[in-house]
Each structure stands twice: as C-alpha cells, then as structure tokens.
Amino acid sequence: PQFWQRLEEMLQFDKRRTLLVDDTEKVLFAAQSHGLGFLLFVARPSSRQRVQYSCNFPSIVYFKELLPQ
C-alpha cells in the first residue's frame, strides 16, 4: 500500500485515469486496491510461454491490441 501512495505522490498521476498493464495478478490486485482506474493482464508475457488469460482482469496477448488500427 505504501508503494502506490508514494508512487502517486512522486509521479503526480491521476489514479482514476491511469492504465496499468502487468503480467502478475498480485500487482494488479494491489493497484486495484489503491484505486487505479484501468487494469489489464498480459496473458503471454514471454513468447516462450503459452497464453494464459486472467479470470479476474481483462487480458491482452500483445501490446499492439491497445493501439488503434
């Protein structure tokens, strides 16, 4: 909990408008508890791993999925 508060103070971001993309659900749950507005799970953080979607967060396989076409 202190991590998120200190990060917010240091970077001066608006947590309600912040997007965090991570491959660890524990990190996403912590960010959710702090009130970050948008959370995405990376379902395939390495090309050597198989795709594994989250049951708890929206998931992406490739970052290019976030870009307009």
Side-chain angles (χ1 to χ4, degrees):
Q2 277 187 342
F3 168 81
W4 293 105
Q5 183 64 38
R6 290 175 71 189
L7 186 67
E8 185 178 359
E9 290 169 2
M10 186 172 44
L11 298 180
Q12 298 293 305
F13 63 87
D14 180 352
K15 63 184 174 186
R16 297 166 300 171
R17 296 182 50 190
T18 298
L19 168 66
L20 177 69
V21 183
D22 203 279
D23 63 345
T24 306
E25 285 190 326
K26 183 177 179 180
V27 170
L28 294 173
F29 279 122
Q32 185 178 53
S33 293
H34 186 67
L36 268 70
F38 302 94
L39 305 169
L40 291 175
F41 179 76
V42 179
R44 189 176 185 195
S46 169
S47 61
R48 295 180 179 194
Q49 296 177 354
R50 64 180 183 84
V51 174
Q52 185 169 345
Y53 295 98
S54 169
C55 294
N56 299 297
F57 298 97
S59 301
I60 61 168
V61 177
Y62 301 105
F63 281 97
K64 68 181 182 178
E65 296 172 52
L66 302 175
L67 302 174
Q69 303 233 347

